[in-house]
Amino acid sequence: MATFTRSSSTAAVLALAAVVLAVLGGAVEAQQLAPNFYSRTCPNLARIVRRGMASAVQKERRMGASILRMFFHDCFVNGCDGSILLDDTSTFTGEKGAGPNANSVRGFEVIDAIKAQVEASCTATVSCADILALAARDGVNLLGGPTWSVPLGRKDSRTASQSAANDNLPGPGSSLSTLISMFGNQGLSARDMTALSGAHTIGRSQCQFFRSRIYTEPNVNASFAALRQRTCPRSGGDANLAPFDVQTPDGFDNAYYQNLLQQKGLLHSDQELFNGGSQDALVRQYSNNPALFSSDFVTAMIKMGNLLPSAGTRTEVRLNCRKVN
Ligand code: HEM
Ligand SMILES: *[C@@H]1O[C@H](CO)[C@@H](O)[C@H](O)[C@H]1NC(C)=O
């Protein structure tokens, strides 16, 4: 027999609505991010992060790329929550040791240094996740790419998941359908995926991730394969580096797509975007319309940056990006 009073039935409806929202929300927007989130509590934040990234990129151009990748690997694992920054301890296994990250994701000291500067101005206020989001934007811009205003207000996780990092991050051997479905799992479209892959216009890859492509694949440019084989032998030299983009390795432009047209994608997964499939037409467009690439890249970066931990997850503003408070 239904004996709800009016107020308890209202409460029940509200509780049900909250559950429905939490379920529908999933890994998406638990709270609303906003570019002015710290405008009163940390007005110099953007300048501090920019200065830190400028100095890191001046020391080593590649660092702009490395921080961009770190942000991607943070966001694809339970949302952009700084989980990738947590160090392992004797009682805690984080994401740094996951397959896609180990001996590969780099630049943690750069985030530490920026965090120290931010803490000196605005104590216990700005999350590591937001610092990483801003730093990734600055890395792109400092290497000649677009800039945009970054929605802020993320919180840092109190946990990390090595298994989710292994499961959610695509590998260099991924097929087009795998790439589309792994980005789809994060609420990102095939178009977002193709635009975000343009990040491979900067940075380096280790030989072990493109060896099979340059020695065995039919759809690789012969002169490009020969060039890469010089520093990536059939065996050994696993960690030898090659630039993704031969012409402008540290310039954020649309050359990535022009390279794909010539079968000069470095990873198997890169060339999958232009191999007779659904993304061919878009790759062609990006290759001759840098403004379209820029604007789609920015849209997709903001979308990826909006991935947040599921509602109800306990979070905090970490004081040290490497450990929970
Ligand atoms: C589409 C699926 C993707 C795959 C399979 C993939 C895979 C890889 C691999 C294997 C490397 C080389 C790592 C190493 O040698 O240590 C790499 C580097 C890189 N990735 Fe991706 N990636 C993908 C998407 C993305 C996205 C979406 C972004 C950012 C928006 C990104 C940014 C980068 C950057 C900037 C580098 C160079 C890092 C450096 O030089 O330190 N990647 N990626
Ligand atoms: C392979 O690369 C060469 C040299 O850059 C270029 O001239 C040629 O058009 C490329 N081949 C294909 C199939 O795109």
Side-chain angles (χ1 to χ4, degrees):
M1 190 169 66
T3 55
F4 289 136
T5 64
R6 180 168 297 163
S7 66
S8 74
S9 69
T10 304
V13 167
L14 287 175
L16 180 63
V19 169
V20 168
L21 283 173
V23 169
L24 290 175
V28 201
E29 284 155 329
Q31 71 254 35
Q32 199 57 41
L33 304 179
N36 65 356
F37 187 83
Y38 299 106
S39 58
R40 272 171 301 161
T41 54
C42 196
N44 289 325
L45 175 62
R47 272 180 292 264
I48 298 169
V49 175
R50 177 73 176 197
R51 201 183 331 117
M53 281 304 290
S55 115
V57 166
Q58 196 184 3
K59 265 187 221 125
E60 187 203 17
R61 307 277 295 158
R62 182 187 175 197
M63 194 51 76
S66 302
I67 298 296
L68 173 59
R69 181 169 191 241
M70 188 189 289
F71 180 58
F72 162 50
H73 285 206
D74 186 27
C75 293
F76 263 50
V77 184
N78 301 324
C80 318
D81 61 356
S83 56
I84 194 172
L85 303 172
L86 291 172
D87 280 341
D88 286 4
T89 71
S90 57
T91 57
F92 173 83
T93 303
E95 294 164 19
K96 290 182 178 178
N101 295 335
N103 300 310
S104 180
V105 171
R106 60 197 293 280
F108 296 109
E109 339 63 50
V110 171
I111 299 301
D112 291 340
I114 297 174
K115 174 67 168 173
Q117 294 291 309
V118 171
E119 285 298 305
S121 287
C122 323
T123 309
T125 303
V126 182
S127 65
C128 297
D130 278 342
I131 289 174
L132 182 53
L134 285 166
R137 184 271 310 265
D138 288 338
V140 168
N141 184 242
L142 285 160
L143 295 184
T147 190
W148 61 94
S149 81
V150 178
L152 298 168
R154 297 170 189 80
K155 292 286 182 281
D156 297 321
S157 69
R158 294 180 45 81
T159 57
S161 174
Q162 186 168 106
S163 60
N166 283 321
D167 293 346
N168 297 0
L169 290 164
S174 301
S175 67
L176 180 59
S177 63
T178 296
L179 295 173
I180 291 174
S181 75
M182 291 187 97
F183 279 68
N185 290 343
Q186 305 284 344
L188 298 170
S189 66
R191 188 182 184 98
D192 294 327
M193 185 276 293
T194 295
L196 286 169
S197 296
H200 288 176
T201 183
I202 53 175
R204 308 289 184 275
S205 173
Q206 301 175 48
C207 162
Q208 58 182 316
F209 299 125
F210 61 83
R211 177 182 288 119
S212 67
R213 169 153 173 74
I214 60 170
Y215 285 102
T216 68
E217 297 193 351
N219 63 345
V220 63
N221 184 298
S223 65
F224 173 73
L227 173 71
R228 286 290 150 257
Q229 287 171 7
R230 281 197 238 148
T231 53
C232 183
R234 278 181 192 280
S235 81
D238 282 7
N240 292 359
L241 295 174
F244 276 99
D245 173 8
V246 192
Q247 288 85 15
T248 51
D250 298 310
F252 195 100
D253 54 23
N254 66 337
Y256 171 77
Y257 302 100
Q258 296 171 345
N259 291 334
L260 294 184
L261 260 47
Q262 297 188 74
Q263 304 197 313
K264 294 176 181 172
L266 186 57
L267 306 180
H268 174 82
S269 55
D270 290 322
Q271 198 61 54
E272 279 290 285
L273 303 185
F274 189 79
N275 191 34
S278 65
Q279 301 306 292
D280 279 24
L282 187 57
V283 168
R284 278 189 206 281
Q285 283 182 31
Y286 289 158
S287 76
N288 59 37
N289 190 343
L292 178 67
F293 164 55
S294 251
S295 104
D296 281 5
F297 180 79
V298 167
T299 299
M301 281 293 287
I302 292 172
K303 219 165 139 182
M304 182 171 82
N306 281 336
L307 296 170
L308 297 177
S310 0
T313 306
R314 236 184 108 199
T315 54
E316 64 187 19
V317 170
R318 239 176 260 154
L319 297 175
N320 174 340
C321 295
R322 292 177 182 267
K323 48 186 203 190
V324 298
N325 294 340

